[in-house]
Amino acid sequence: MRKLIFLTGFIFCAMVAVAQESVTGLVTNSENEPLIGAHIINLNNIDHSAVTDETGKFILIKFQETDTLLIKYIGYQERLYIPKEMDALNIQLTREQRVLREVSVKAVPMGAEVFAMEKLKPLDIYLNPASKADPLVAVNTTASSTTKDENAAVSFRGATANQTAYFINGVPLKNPVKYTQLNNTGTLSIFNTDFLRDVTIFPGNPPLEYGQSTSGAIILEMADRFPKYQQHSLSLSLANLGYSFRNQLNNDSHVGVFTNFQFNELLQFTNPRGLEDINSFRSNDLGVLLVKHSAFGSFKFFQYGLMDSYNFAFNHPSYKGEFVQSSVRSISTLKWVYDLSDFTFSLIAGNSYNQNNFEFGNLDYDDENLSPYLAGHVIQEGTSHISKIGYSYWGRENHFDGQYPLYDFALSPENPSDELSYTASSNIHEVYGYHRHSFGNTALGGGVRVGMLKNAQNEISYQLQFSQQLNKKLKLKLAAGKYYQNRIAEETEADEFITSFQQSIDIEYDARKLAFTQSFYRNAFDHKNVIGSETSVNFRFSRKLQVNQNLSLLDNDNSFDWFSRSTIDWKFLPSWSFSAILQFFKGQRYQMITSSTYSEQLDVYSPIYENGSSHFRPYRNISVSISKLMQLGDRLSSVWFFSLNNALDFKNTRDLEYNFNYNYYSKNYLSRRGIYFGVVLNQIFEPK
């Protein structure tokens, strides 16, 4: 505790606030005409941004002499503005000098977008007090999330994480999580929020424009443009050193690069008790985004690579030693979009590759996966409707080579193992059609998707969606459908379809001080029938203080489950932010071992489980963070952050660890109390 108090005091003392005042300004065009509704964004204090009135004037409160402004107005070039003095600011914008037909930025319209539960912009993710600036962690704080193991992979509405579909630039991904995290569950995703355009969330009834989900879908789209100024960012924390670069090469070409190196030494030194089982971890990743807009359409290319390794102490009744895992991953996406009058054409190609190695006792194997993807879409969009048809091919190949234990209770290197080497593949062709029509405040949508496997087995998905804007504040959504997901069965190495039937009712209320969402749903899958209720309430007490409360209740085949998440975001001082998240949910299910039998041949004990199962005590976690925005120069700013995870050090049981003959056990816990702090430096260069 003394160390914690010292570090907290050190960080607080290192952050010094400067004097602030209000300033007025005027935004005009090159003809000195006032621009109404122009956005003046204070990059150093976003909460104190402004919008011009009917005379083009604005007022910025709590303005600092070193603040940097970003001015945006439709049809005009963005301008980065650094005031030279504190008098009235007169800012002039220049019209975009480009032929819209030749360089228009065209995204593939999403037909089911109006039926989505939520759409997140990068700023929404950064301002989420529990997101860790990670998009999937932000999704896991919503009422629809029923994730129980602190994993960034999202479980929606009582389903498993592998039933959720993830798409990046239209390309499906099966494993979007980094596994080099401290609790071996993958607490961060592979996505860099700086490079995202938006994240669209469907916790249920996923859009058949994408498919391959029996639960929900998360659609991530990379940015189409970057601002006209050059930005360099450097992040340094107890476990990470990162760098990112974004720049507009010209009016129609954009480039972005990010890289991160993760390590364990400093974090373990600062948090010795909670990380005593970690021997080492390393992670290196690199991402490149290239965007080009031309008369021949918009091209977007994204390449991501990750290498990581993780070594931790693992105790099993039959053997205690080091569990070593390593992986290499590569993700490539290429997207072309062409706009022709009311029609939009797009082609999407991608490939996902990963190779994993696992070693422990008599376990030693390599697992290699390759997933090429190709899709084409034709979209016709009118003032009140959108129609989409498309085709996709998704190939998957899995190669397994190595040895694995012959008995799951005998893991010593001397215990028998079995050699296994096989290659399994899956190739699915899909065609779909989707249509949505709007009638005033009412929208009606529906779609069909057909999947065809190489063994001539076919499956069909279908859905109907309804949305009604009852008044300015109240909205009703209804949806129902059947959905499938194609998998390679591990036992038979053959293709199989998993299906689900879903129905949902969503009621949304949004007022100035209060936002409220109430959902009821049913999801029948894998011989299970999940019925649930989700409630989300957002209290906007002021621009400085917001509180969000999520509560999820569900009945999973007569097994009652519940989740409660509360988040607090409080800007208690200028450029200071405090956030907290309080999470509580029903503990994990487990099965006790009551006795064991001794095997003379193997010289180990085998467990005997009790009938039925029990639950660990409820999960509890209260985490807080504090951040401070500090200007270090005309074009250099910094964000300092400090977080305290599991502040009250609740012991949330992950599993039970037994001794050699199973007559004694101890508990393994999820994340214990831990401190984390660091700084992000942002350097910008305005074009000449």
Side-chain angles (χ1 to χ4, degrees), residues 363-381:
L363 172 73
D364 185 1
Y365 72 87
D366 293 300
D367 182 32
E368 190 173 15
N369 298 274
L370 183 67
S371 299
Y373 181 80
L374 180 66
H377 309 270
V378 179
I379 304 101
Q380 196 275 324
E381 189 174 13

Side-chain angles (χ1 to χ4, degrees), residues 529-585:
N529 187 38
V530 179
I531 299 174
S533 165
E534 296 168 358
T535 306
S536 180
V537 184
N538 181 236
F539 301 95
R540 301 161 183 161
F541 296 104
S542 67
R543 294 186 62 182
K544 294 183 178 180
L545 178 62
Q546 292 191 37
V547 177
N548 192 77
Q549 173 62 53
N550 296 328
L551 177 63
S552 180
L553 307 173
L554 58 91
D555 184 345
N556 190 343
D557 281 342
N558 298 319
S559 177
F560 181 74
D561 220 341
W562 55 272
F563 299 81
S564 174
R565 293 182 177 91
S566 306
T567 58
I568 302 170
D569 190 11
W570 180 32
K571 293 170 177 56
F572 59 99
L573 286 173
S575 70
W576 286 85
S577 294
F578 169 84
S579 61
I581 181 168
L582 295 76
Q583 299 188 82
F584 306 93
F585 48 78

